[in-house]
Amino acid sequence: MPHAHGSVRRTPLAAGYIDNRATLWIVLILAGMAVTHYASLRTGKGVIELLWSLPPPWPSFLITLTGVVAVGAVVLFVAVRLWHGAPYRISAGTDGTRLREQAPGQLFGGLLLAMLALTLVVFGLIGPGWWWGLVATIGLLLLVVAASVLSRRVTWELAADAITRSERLFGSPRVQTWPVPGSPSFALDETTTGGAFGQPLETRYQVRLGESVLLETGDAAQANGFVAALRTAYRTPIEDN
């Protein structure tokens, strides 16, 4: 492998930025309470009574849909938070090091979409009228999206003369290749943006080979894992400036 060097560049957070995600959740909760209260005033019925007054299969559909979304969101949140595995599965490649991306969000997110899609399809098939046919169609489309999410595979090959990224969705993979010069220069850029109302703080990471962007992600573990693999494969110190 050629010897290489690199650096880490961070953009500091500007003064005055405030993370307003908690405020947005409070606004959404208050809006939901206001809508249900308004519906109760207009109909003279409580939320539960109003729900069961709807024609079938609307009550069962809304309860099931809410349950699937709530349980799925909790499972996805917990899985991502508790995931302590490596972001890459590292093995020996054809001419160097092979990295295979591992993301719990992809697996559980795909399963959540599949559960949501199946709920729409089932109720769309048993419900009367064109509206339920539309619900079933949306469910089938979501099944395709879920299958694409679950089937996505990203593999990196860190060879002496080139870095290759292969992304497979169903059929043939999409391949990108970056030639590695005799003395490659890698860099990790970290940029924090947002903070205005409705714009939560977001940190983005870019791993570059010269002027070419190899990886751009909002996942710190993924960026750091990729840098660690580069450091090992090309024997390069990528240190803080």
Side-chain angles (χ1 to χ4, degrees):
M1 284 287 187
H3 289 281
H5 61 278
S7 62
V8 175
R9 181 172 59 196
R10 290 183 169 86
T11 301
L13 182 63
Y17 276 172
I18 301 174
D19 191 343
N20 290 294
R21 282 175 291 186
T23 304
L24 291 177
W25 278 109
I26 292 173
V27 170
L28 290 175
I29 292 172
L30 291 176
M33 294 172 61
V35 169
T36 55
H37 182 64
Y38 177 76
S40 298
L41 291 178
R42 288 295 302 268
T43 62
K45 301 178 181 179
V47 176
I48 303 299
E49 186 182 1
L50 183 62
L51 174 65
W52 288 112
S53 67
L54 296 174
W58 275 106
S60 300
F61 172 68
L62 293 177
I63 292 173
T64 304
L65 186 64
T66 303
V68 167
V69 172
V71 172
V74 170
V75 171
L76 178 61
F77 177 82
V78 172
V80 172
R81 289 288 181 176
L82 297 182
W83 169 258
H84 297 296
Y88 299 96
R89 182 183 301 169
I90 303 176
S91 60
T94 305
D95 186 27
T97 303
R98 176 175 296 159
L99 310 177
R100 177 170 293 176
E101 292 186 4
Q102 302 184 117
Q106 176 186 339
L107 172 61
F108 287 97
L111 292 176
L112 171 59
L113 278 177
M115 291 170 56
L116 180 61
L118 288 174
T119 301
L120 296 179
V121 169
V122 169
F123 279 96
L125 291 177
I126 65 176
W130 67 269
W131 163 255
W132 291 103
L134 178 61
V135 169
T137 302
I138 294 174
L140 292 174
L141 293 177
L142 279 181
L143 271 180
V144 175
V145 175
S148 66
V149 170
L150 291 172
S151 67
R152 180 176 178 267
R153 296 290 183 270
V154 177
T155 304
W156 295 83
E157 295 280 351
L158 308 181
D161 58 346
I163 294 176
T164 303
R165 180 183 184 273
S166 176
E167 181 177 2
R168 181 182 294 276
L169 280 175
F170 296 119
S172 301
R174 186 169 69 93
V175 179
Q176 293 176 278
T177 301
W178 297 269
V180 176
S183 181
S185 175
F186 297 100
L188 170 62
D189 292 345
E190 178 182 322
T191 305
T192 303
T193 59
F197 186 82
Q199 298 178 350
L201 296 178
E202 181 181 16
T203 301
R204 301 293 299 177
Y205 304 88
Q206 277 191 348
V207 181
R208 295 184 292 106
L209 168 60
E211 296 301 319
S212 301
V213 177
L214 300 177
L215 175 70
E216 183 170 359
T217 178
D219 187 342
Q222 185 183 22
N224 291 327
F226 190 67
V227 166
L230 291 174
R231 183 184 294 120
T232 301
Y234 296 98
R235 301 189 296 277
T236 172
I238 305 179
E239 302 171 350
D240 291 355
N241 287 332

